[in-house]
Amino acid sequence: MNLKVLVLCSILIASSLSDDGSKAFPDNFMFGVASSSHQIEGAWNEDGKGENIWDYLTHTKPELVEGGATADITCDSYHKYKEDVALLKDLGVDHYRFSLSWSRILTNGSIGSVNEAGLNYYKNLIKELKDNGIEPFVTLYHWDLPEILQKQGGWIDMFIIDTFLDYARLCFETFGDDVKYWLTFSEPKQTCLSGYGYGTMAPSVSKTGELDYKCTHNLLKAHAKVWHLYDEEFRSTQNGKISIALDSNWYEPEDDTSQNTVSAETKRQFSFGWYANPLFIGDYPEVMKTRIGYRSMHEGRRVSRLPVFTDEEIEYIKGTCDFLGLNTYTSSIIKYEKEQEIRIPWYDWDVGVKEHFASEWPSSASSWLKVTPWGIKKLLNWIKDTYNSPDIFITANGVSDDGSSLNDEIRINYYRDYLSNISSAMEDGVNVIGYTAWSLMDSFEWTSGYSEKFGFYSVDFESENRTRTAKSSVEYFKKVVLTHCLVDSCEED
Ligand code: GBE
């Protein structure tokens, strides 16, 4: 296909999206970009910041991280936040989603160790954002647990619930007058499944089928406690909203046979329902209770590996989201698998399905991320139907490049096609209230080091200055934010 035909096709596709052909997103729809503390701040031991589990992992087990990379300096946003805000201003975004570093605010994680320098850093960042008309959208926890709390058991020990509550209270007291959007956790499934199950992420504890469930149990209780705290003591004066950001692929059945349809739904329940069911409906999904209970019994256990909530806990956790935060990047194909022999516990055997990517799906620089824009429309509709039409704030969505060119067509196409499908889901009646692109700039990508680049801005990690340079997608996203419609259709009107 030559270029002209391609351009024409995308104009035709784009202009069929909205009824009047001009506006794809309502005026009050919020556009923003995201980052997280550990991935961009650096200054890992400056001004009283304590060590977190990712500092510890990169310093003690460099073989687990591509290129032995650390986030000791990364984008150096601790010193360059004013420059970051200038980039945000230039993008024209309504909000900036960033996270607070727990061990920068509380050196040893507990409320007795308040670090004024850490509080000041975030006060200054929030002031700079507000002075520039950008809404701060704050995540309390994006994976960087203070190492000292991990030494005491971390998310698998119940003490963490009240320790997190103390930290949250301090954050509401200190920043709450200026923050209208809060998230307790970003992608709790990654914290629990990768951190304490597979052990592929910090704190790299591998006890799948047990500690991943236990971690989730504590984390859901911690979330609910923080929501109730905000609701009872801060909401009336601070008037904000608070929720959690859940992550999921879209899981597409391989075909419409009933076996594969059921398997895909099982996978959705184990992936998204694990968190969304307790939060929006009450208790873990039936299929999780049944399957984990069955396999536990056949392992000779008297109780299920899936912890049990009391009736009071079910009621306490249910309804603790003022909106649904959604992080999603890709899809996968699910098919039926016959019941695995019962030996040792493993989350994937509890789910009991086969998962793969279709070979024709376009790749990115991340092996886990294929470009499947149609998947987000299906996921949004499934959430609407399954959880009674909640308001959905998309809190992360984006694609990686390999850094070989600033002309990041892959990103422009990704955002255009995903936003088209979001707009189309909204026409189906899905209540999407905002969109957050991941990410403002290239940053430390956890165990992938600096090899996968998700930014609108590239960062020169070799230069002392950590020079930021706009990629081509900046101009594209600016237009979307400004016009609230997909560029092709606006230009043709
Ligand atoms: C988000 O997670 C993170 O919240 C954000 O911090 C990160 O920068 C962004 O993704 C981009 O990566 O062996 O290759 O399959 C897969 C998205 C690890 C969900 C990657 C962990 C996707 C969960 C390892 N996944 N991520 S493997």
Side-chain angles (χ1 to χ4, degrees):
M1 219 192 292
N2 70 28
L3 193 65
K4 263 194 189 154
V5 176
L6 252 179
V7 169
L8 196 68
C9 285
S10 50
I11 290 170
L12 287 175
I13 292 167
S15 44
S16 66
L17 286 174
S18 53
D19 292 332
D20 65 359
S22 58
K23 287 230 160 177
F25 297 92
D27 287 339
N28 61 356
F29 190 90
M30 288 172 68
F31 280 104
V33 295
S35 70
S36 88
S37 50
H38 189 74
Q39 293 180 269
I40 66 164
E41 286 176 6
W44 82 276
N45 60 356
E46 261 179 74
D47 293 347
K49 177 180 166 292
E51 188 180 40
N52 68 41
I53 55 176
W54 280 93
D55 295 319
Y56 184 78
L57 179 133
T58 54
H59 295 157
T60 58
K61 297 182 192 163
E63 67 281 5
L64 296 185
V65 183
E66 199 158 321
T70 74
D72 292 358
I73 304 175
T74 179
C75 308
D76 201 22
S77 287
Y78 185 68
H79 298 111
K80 295 173 75 77
Y81 70 91
K82 286 196 177 171
E83 213 178 295
D84 294 346
V85 176
L87 300 180
L88 292 160
K89 174 88 177 166
D90 186 47
L91 276 168
V93 288
D94 301 302
H95 68 279
Y96 177 44
R97 182 183 156 228
F98 61 96
S99 76
L100 306 176
S101 158
W102 187 342
S103 67
R104 195 183 291 291
I105 289 179
L106 295 169
T107 302
N108 72 19
S110 300
I111 199 66
S113 65
V114 176
N115 179 28
E116 288 300 330
L119 291 176
N120 284 336
Y121 171 64
Y122 295 112
K123 279 185 197 161
N124 292 337
L125 170 61
I126 290 169
K127 178 164 190 315
E128 189 73 11
L129 288 167
K130 296 206 54 150
D131 287 350
N132 284 282
I134 300 162
E135 192 73 52
F137 196 124
V138 180
T139 308
L140 291 171
Y141 186 81
H142 197 126
W143 310 0
D144 45 357
L145 185 71
E147 172 61 22
I148 191 165
L149 300 182
Q150 176 52 34
K151 293 262 176 350
Q152 296 162 47
W155 290 107
I156 56 170
D157 196 294
M158 272 167 58
F159 86 95
I160 200 73
I161 298 171
D162 284 330
T163 310
F164 183 66
L165 187 72
D166 290 342
Y167 161 61
R169 181 193 297 277
L170 174 65
C171 295
F172 297 151
E173 283 168 354
T174 313
F175 313 118
D177 287 339
D178 292 318
V179 175
K180 302 298 162 216
Y181 292 89
W182 291 98
L183 294 171
T184 51
F185 295 97
S186 188
E187 305 191 356
K189 187 179 68 192
Q190 299 309 325
T191 295
C192 294
L193 189 57
S194 303
Y196 297 89
Y198 301 145
T200 48
M201 302 269 240
S204 77
V205 174
S206 320
K207 208 157 187 344
T208 177
E210 288 190 74
L211 295 188
D212 31 21
Y213 297 136
K214 207 169 169 191
C215 165
T216 297
H217 210 63
N218 288 331
L219 193 146
L220 283 167
K221 289 183 188 176
H223 163 84
K225 229 170 167 173
V226 169
W227 184 89
H228 283 285
L229 168 72
Y230 189 81
D231 196 49
E232 284 154 26
E233 296 182 33
F234 295 94
R235 192 192 294 282
S236 63
T237 51
Q238 298 185 346
N239 296 309
K241 288 183 178 358
I242 175 161
S243 186
I244 191 167
L246 303 181
D247 65 296
S248 190
N249 288 5
W250 168 248
Y251 299 107
E252 176 75 8
E254 184 171 70
D255 54 36
D256 60 8
T257 59
S258 70
Q259 270 187 335
N260 290 336
T261 307
V262 168
S263 294
E265 183 62 17
T266 299
K267 177 72 182 181
R268 289 174 210 135
Q269 292 298 338
F270 266 84
S271 172
F272 198 79
W274 186 8
Y275 295 86
N277 218 85
L279 294 166
F280 289 87
I281 296 174
D283 206 359
Y284 293 120
E286 280 309 317
V287 68
M288 288 189 75
K289 293 195 283 187
T290 314
R291 289 197 48 83
I292 302 166
Y294 168 84
R295 295 185 63 88
S296 300
M297 190 182 79
H298 284 272
E299 287 155 15
R301 295 165 193 265
R302 281 200 313 219
V303 292
S304 175
R305 286 183 274 103
L306 184 70
V308 177
F309 287 124
T310 65
D311 291 346
E312 292 74 42
E313 287 168 344
I314 290 173
E315 283 310 309
Y316 186 75
I317 293 168
K318 182 176 154 181
T320 57
C321 291
D322 298 333
F323 56 88
L324 189 151
L326 176 66
N327 289 11
T328 187
Y329 295 81
T330 192
S331 306
S332 40
I333 290 180
I334 300 298
K335 62 180 183 184
Y336 171 81
E337 178 167 52
K338 67 174 193 308
E339 192 66 34
Q340 291 293 306
E341 168 198 349
I342 292 178
R343 272 179 290 150
I344 47 165
W346 193 22
Y347 170 84
D348 288 359
W349 287 341
D350 288 339
V351 188
V353 304
K354 281 195 182 123
E355 178 173 8
H356 72 280
F357 296 127
S359 56
E360 68 272 19
W361 292 352
S363 302
S364 68
S366 308
S367 59
W368 56 273
L369 200 172
K370 303 291 173 191
V371 181
T372 59
W374 49 271
I376 201 167
K377 179 176 171 181
K378 292 195 174 191
L379 177 60
L380 288 167
N381 271 289
W382 177 81
I383 291 173
K384 162 179 163 284
D385 295 341
T386 312
Y387 303 103
N388 194 21
S389 301
D391 283 345
I392 300 174
F393 206 121
I394 295 172
T395 36
N397 174 242
V399 71
S400 55
D401 65 72
D402 61 8
S404 57
S405 164
L406 290 173
N407 187 6
D408 56 342
E409 251 176 90
I410 183 175
R411 185 162 292 102
I412 297 174
N413 294 336
Y414 183 99
Y415 284 128
R416 186 197 56 229
D417 295 344
Y418 274 68
L419 284 164
S420 297
N421 277 280
I422 292 165
S423 160
S424 156
M426 290 165 75
E427 285 174 3
D428 295 341
V430 183
N431 300 322
V432 185
I433 59 175
Y435 178 83
T436 317
W438 184 276
S439 175
L440 173 60
M441 57 195 160
D442 296 345
S443 64
F444 175 74
E445 274 297 331
W446 312 109
T447 51
S448 301
Y450 295 95
S451 62
E452 301 173 15
K453 302 181 185 288
F454 279 84
F456 283 115
Y457 291 87
S458 105
V459 175
D460 180 0
F461 294 102
E462 303 299 316
S463 77
E464 197 169 339
N465 225 350
R466 296 301 194 268
T467 313
R468 284 95 159 113
T469 310
K471 303 182 193 173
S472 304
S473 53
V474 166
E475 283 310 309
Y476 174 73
F477 197 63
K478 260 180 170 172
K479 277 198 197 178
V480 173
V481 174
L482 184 70
T483 61
H484 278 220
C485 64
L486 303 168
V487 170
D488 290 344
S489 64
C490 292
E491 284 182 338
E492 289 308 300
D493 274 344

